[in-house]
Amino acid sequence: METQVTAPPSQTQTTPAPENTSEPSARILRELREDGICVLTFNRPNSSANVFDRATLLELSEHLDCLNRAPAPKGVVFTSAKSSVFIAGADLHAISESARDENLRQLIELGQNVFNKIEQLGIPTVAAIHGACLGGGYELSLACDYRIASPEKVTKIGLPETQLGILPAWGGSTRLPRLIGLPKALDIILAGKTLAARQALRLGLIDELVPKEYQIAKACKLILTRGRALRQKNWKSAVLANPLLGRALARYLHPKILRKTRGHYPAVLKALEVVTQGVGKPLAKSLELERNAILELAQTEACKNLIRIFLLQERAKKITGLPYKPLEATPQDKPIKNVAVIGAGVMGAGIAQWASARGSKVVLKDINAEQVGKGMATIAQIYKQGVKRHAMTPVEARSGMDRVSPAPSDVPLGNLDLVIEAAVEKMDLKKQIFRNLDAQVAPDAILATNTSALSVTELAQSTSHPERVLGIHFFNPVHRMQLVEVIVTPITSAEAVRRSVKYVQQIGKLPVVVKDSPGFLVNRILMPYLIEAGHLFESGARIEDIDEAMLEFGMPMGPLRLIDEVGVDVAYHVAQTLASHYQARMSLPGVLAKMLEKGWLGRKSGQGFYLHDKKTKEGQINPLIDKLHEGTSCAGVPRDELRTRMVLLMVNEAARCLQEEIVMDAADVDFGMIMGTGFAPFLGGPLRFADYLGLTAVTEEMKRLAARGQTRFEPCGILLSLAAEGKSFYPTKKN
């Protein structure tokens, strides 16, 4: 239901706030309107977001205590002064820093007690939501009698805690099942879902959609006309929130979750336990289950690593270049608005679609009308899928398509701010494209390449203005992969880096700034892993053992399936490029060349290590692939040994990237691998995982393998030196 009302003239007066809330550090403003309704507005100083830390919870508690004193207001409305955030949740820094001591227990108990105060107020309460309302923010709204939300795109509602290795512990695991029923609540809590406002309305997480400008007026009208009747009793939800159903769902879902997570994400199983056991229990007992569970989860490595990755994602939204610094206003830097993509293949079309969907005007150019037409069809299909997934509305999709201008022939390029080349991976062709662009674009336009392995420095040197050339490397598929590598050459200007990084952030991607080097960061680390998988197969290891070994490790897919997905031809090209630079430790497995000869390109041809056609079951191995075995030395090798060999090569190459300063610190390496390849997030990345194992143990295992004649396992210098000094990639916190 969507409601529009006429907003009355502003008739409010500021009521004396609790001690210190009139100071600039106040996080919540309390206003008493002339109609007797109190409005509590969250507005964290010097921040674009509201979050719950200890100070904010204490301040909210003081406000609630004031409301309980006579004369009480007629009702309370909770709202936010931020443009795109209601309350983003708990301060994760506070959770990660408090995980080892009594402070975390106190923080959880404080949040539960404060939200209980809201629920127990003797007056009606309404949450007026605009912007992100996640985690603790949504748990506050669950304690209210009624929830209204704006239909705008910035409004997101949900409980994403399991994605951070924890669970909703300020009442979310208790109150949501009682609001919408156990099955729907489990679906949201276990998956850590974040929903658009209309989806949240359909599922019952909110009660009405109200445009932002009318929310306060609407909330006040609800309080004055309906009073405590706002606290609706839904008999259907009550039926779907009972202990018998809880036990049945727990028995049904537990094995399914275990198969899906392979036990790597304990928060999901713990959330299932808490939610299903809490149903039917008194509020205090259910909250106790929440509290004990989050205290247990906060101690796990999975939780620490998942929170750390989230914080690195937030950092990536604010960096400007090298070295990493907080995002500062640079008014002298011209913003990027008009973009051209040269090359209308899968990657070029994907980049054009993503940029146009986020407001950029995009020229899509290729050698002829047929190629451009195929690119436009690909873009249209991505938009169609986005509408189907409710990621955008049909109107937004049409507007995005309208911002893409097909260019099958030469068109003026003088008004462009950025050109992204996404042609085939041939250096001579790319150089010719860059020479032509250099003469056609404005002097302040940035020229970028989307190459995955070729030298950006060599490309830059083919132009008369190499200082404006860099790499902007998107990952495939563009509309799903968040990471973008911004590749900097020794002569790239600081301004070009700043503008490019800011543009990547502007279109909703997460940049990692890397030094130009063969394979850059992600492919440089990934390729030795894929190459080793090929060697293991050639030496007699079964495809299912190789891939299953890495699925058990926590990778989203096995290495041989990944080769099929990216394309055997693409994998071979990148591997060939890297092997030519690092001949001492990288040699191509012959199986890839043989597959190319047979036209087995993976998913794109329907046949690779696996079969990929509609007639065969997903995951069916190519029955002809076994003829490409060249030896039997790895036949029957246990999966854990196969896994060790593949993982250690990633660790070794990741350490080399840090040693060669391809990036600035270990966090950049791990962030790139998790966001770019799906490296098991709960392990924190290859370098974090090496620290967890212990660098002495890691180097000793590498030396053992190298002593057997496998010289590619020789540990690099930084690994040896850190191990010898008893150090690690990350500083160890003292208790």
Side-chain angles (χ1 to χ4, degrees):
M1 176 180 179
E2 296 182 50
T3 306
Q4 290 192 359
V5 298
T6 303
S10 177
Q11 297 178 334
T12 64
Q13 62 184 47
T14 301
T15 301
E19 186 178 356
N20 295 329
T21 57
S22 61
E23 299 298 322
S25 61
R27 295 163 176 80
I28 307 167
L29 175 67
R30 188 173 83 249
E31 294 179 304
L32 183 63
R33 295 164 49 102
E34 289 185 359
D35 56 13
I37 295 173
C38 176
V39 178
L40 291 178
T41 304
F42 289 82
N43 191 14
R44 188 180 183 87
N46 305 315
S47 175
S48 60
N50 295 314
V51 296
F52 277 126
D53 55 14
R54 181 178 178 81
T56 304
L57 288 169
L58 287 172
E59 190 174 322
L60 176 57
S61 183
E62 291 177 5
H63 280 294
L64 297 173
D65 288 341
C66 289
L67 296 179
N68 272 323
R69 299 172 193 148
K74 295 179 181 177
V76 183
V77 180
F78 297 90
T79 187
S80 166
K82 305 300 183 185
S83 60
S84 60
V85 175
F86 177 68
I87 302 170
D91 181 356
L92 292 177
H93 289 284
I95 291 178
S96 60
E97 291 167 4
S98 302
R100 292 179 178 269
D101 53 41
E102 183 63 20
N103 288 340
L104 181 57
R105 177 178 291 277
Q106 293 175 1
L107 181 66
I108 299 303
E109 288 178 347
L110 175 62
Q112 290 184 344
N113 292 337
V114 171
F115 292 173
N116 284 346
K117 282 185 180 182
I118 294 173
E119 188 173 51
Q120 293 162 9
L121 284 173
I123 52 178
T125 54
V126 178
I129 301 165
H130 172 74
C133 177
L134 304 172
Y138 183 60
E139 287 177 295
L140 176 144
S141 74
L142 282 171
C144 294
D145 296 327
Y146 207 73
R147 288 150 293 279
I148 62 176
S150 72
E152 280 82 355
K153 198 168 185 177
V154 294
T155 299
K156 302 291 183 184
I157 295 165
L159 297 171
E161 282 88 345
T162 56
Q163 295 188 16
L164 300 170
I166 52 179
L167 50 65
W170 281 340
S173 298
T174 296
R175 293 188 174 100
L176 186 60
R178 302 177 190 201
L179 177 69
I180 65 173
L182 193 53
K184 288 193 290 185
L186 281 172
D187 184 51
I188 291 162
I189 293 171
L190 300 186
K193 285 186 178 180
T194 296
L195 306 171
R198 293 182 190 279
Q199 292 174 291
L201 178 66
R202 283 197 295 271
L203 292 172
L205 277 76
I206 59 173
D207 299 298
E208 288 187 49
L209 292 180
V210 180
K212 179 187 177 182
E213 59 269 28
Y214 300 116
Q215 284 188 337
I216 300 299
K218 174 63 175 178
C220 293
K221 183 178 180 181
L222 286 167
I223 289 170
L224 293 173
T225 58
R226 294 177 59 182
R228 291 294 286 177
L230 285 173
R231 177 151 295 182
Q232 300 171 336
K233 298 294 183 183
N234 187 332
W235 68 268
K236 289 184 179 180
S237 295
V239 169
L240 295 174
N242 65 76
L244 288 176
L245 181 59
R247 287 193 290 272
L249 284 172
R251 285 195 300 269
Y252 172 72
L253 291 174
H254 190 278
K256 294 184 69 173
I257 293 170
L258 204 55
R259 282 195 300 272
K260 185 174 181 180
T261 66
R262 296 175 183 255
H264 293 315
Y265 294 90
V268 184
L269 286 172
K270 183 59 71 172
L272 175 65
E273 175 188 320
V274 168
V275 173
T276 55
Q277 289 185 9
V279 168
K281 281 186 168 57
L283 179 71
K285 288 291 185 182
S286 185
L287 292 177
E288 182 181 2
L289 290 174
E290 291 184 3
R291 186 166 62 248
N292 291 339
I294 195 171
L295 292 171
E296 177 185 330
L297 291 169
Q299 309 303 321
T300 64
E301 283 297 312
C303 174
K304 295 169 192 173
N305 287 327
L306 291 171
I307 288 179
R308 179 176 149 275
I309 292 302
F310 175 82
L311 296 175
L312 288 176
Q313 289 176 297
E314 293 303 298
R315 184 189 74 164
K317 296 174 183 178
K318 301 173 185 176
I319 63 170
T320 58
L322 290 174
Y324 290 126
K325 296 178 180 178
L327 185 62
E328 297 171 356
T330 50
Q332 71 274 19
D333 290 340
K334 181 183 176 183
I336 292 174
K337 297 180 180 178
N338 299 315
V339 178
V341 177
I342 310 300
V346 172
M347 285 302 297
I351 295 167
Q353 184 277 330
W354 186 268
S356 66
R358 273 127 194 97
S360 295
K361 293 182 179 179
V362 183
V363 174
L364 182 66
K365 193 174 186 307
D366 212 314
I367 55 174
N368 57 46
E370 182 182 0
Q371 294 301 318
V372 174
K374 288 180 179 178
M376 293 299 291
T378 300
I379 293 171
Q381 183 62 25
I382 297 172
Y383 272 118
K384 182 179 179 180
Q385 292 170 352
V387 172
K388 189 175 181 180
R389 297 194 318 271
H390 303 290
M392 63 187 75
T393 66
V395 172
E396 290 169 336
R398 285 195 297 272
S399 297
M401 280 295 297
D402 289 344
R403 285 190 285 271
V404 183
S405 301
S409 57
D410 287 340
V411 294
L413 304 177
N415 68 329
L416 297 175
D417 303 307
L418 169 67
V419 180
I420 302 174
E421 170 272 317
V424 294
E425 293 284 87
K426 295 181 179 179
M427 179 61 81
D428 290 343
L429 173 62
K430 289 179 184 288
K431 284 183 177 179
Q432 184 59 50
I433 291 172
F434 270 73
R435 282 192 290 266
N436 292 340
L437 290 171
D438 197 34
Q440 296 179 61
V441 300
D444 59 358
I446 295 171
L447 300 182
T449 176
N450 185 59
T451 182
S452 56
L454 298 178
S455 170
V456 180
T457 303
E458 187 177 341
L459 273 176
Q461 289 170 340
S462 69
T463 71
S464 58
H465 296 285
E467 71 282 354
R468 66 173 174 180
V469 177
L470 43 65
I472 300 181
H473 179 217
F474 292 81
F475 290 80
N476 189 32
V478 176
H479 63 284
R480 292 184 182 172
M481 300 296 288
Q482 288 184 281
L483 189 74
V484 170
E485 290 177 315
V486 177
I487 300 107
V488 180
T489 78
I491 46 181
T492 306
S493 70
E495 179 185 351
V497 177
R498 286 196 308 270
R499 291 177 67 200
S500 299
V501 167
K502 192 169 185 178
Y503 181 69
V504 169
Q505 294 162 336
Q506 176 186 320
I507 61 173
K509 295 294 186 183
L510 300 175
V512 58
V513 182
V514 306
K515 186 171 73 175
D516 185 28
S517 177
F520 316 133
L521 176 67
V522 173
N523 282 333
R524 165 83 177 267
I525 300 170
L526 184 67
M527 269 305 138
Y529 160 68
L530 298 182
I531 288 172
E532 184 66 12
H535 284 308
L536 291 171
F537 168 77
E538 279 189 335
S539 301
R542 300 190 312 158
I543 290 174
E544 51 266 50
D545 286 334
I546 294 169
D547 278 0
E548 189 64 24
M550 295 312 300
L551 289 171
E552 290 170 357
F553 179 76
M555 299 295 279
M557 67 176 66
L560 299 180
R561 177 173 287 281
L562 180 58
I563 290 173
D564 271 12
E565 293 296 329
V566 302
V568 175
D569 51 341
V570 174
Y572 182 79
H573 168 75
V574 177
Q576 195 175 42
T577 301
L578 285 175
S580 67
H581 286 88
Y582 306 115
Q583 295 178 15
R585 62 177 187 273
M586 289 190 200
S587 61
L588 266 69
V591 63
L592 296 182
K594 292 176 182 178
M595 293 172 75
L596 287 176
E597 289 174 6
K598 294 177 177 294
W600 296 353
L601 305 182
R603 183 170 293 279
K604 68 177 72 174
S605 70
Q607 195 170 11
F609 288 102
Y610 295 86
L611 297 179
H612 306 276
D613 59 63
K614 295 179 180 178
K615 298 178 182 178
T616 59
K617 184 180 178 181
E618 184 66 25
Q620 184 175 331
I621 292 171
N622 182 352
L624 303 176
I625 197 75
D626 282 341
K627 295 179 180 179
L628 302 186
H629 284 300
E630 293 186 351
T632 59
S633 62
C634 286
V637 171
R639 287 179 182 175
D640 58 350
E641 186 172 334
L642 299 175
R643 178 166 54 247
T644 295
R645 287 172 57 166
M646 290 185 280
V647 171
L648 287 183
L649 284 176
M650 278 194 283
V651 169
N652 212 9
E653 206 62 37
R656 280 196 185 93
C657 286
L658 189 61
Q659 180 176 301
E660 297 172 17
E661 297 184 339
I662 303 302
V663 288
M664 299 304 291
D665 59 48
D668 302 326
V669 175
D670 288 340
F671 176 71
M673 286 302 291
I674 288 172
M675 303 308 300
T677 72
F679 186 98
F682 65 93
L683 294 176
L687 297 185
R688 190 75 170 191
F689 180 59
D691 276 358
Y692 175 74
L693 294 177
L695 298 191
T696 299
V698 167
T699 54
E700 288 302 315
E701 181 62 20
M702 286 181 175
K703 290 176 184 177
R704 183 185 69 82
L705 290 167
R708 290 162 49 179
Q710 300 168 10
T711 56
R712 60 189 177 278
F713 287 99
E714 286 285 357
C716 66
I718 191 172
L719 273 173
L720 290 170
S721 62
L722 288 174
E725 296 169 15
K727 295 181 179 179
S728 57
F729 290 107
Y730 292 87
T732 304
K733 290 184 179 180
K734 296 181 180 180
N735 292 333

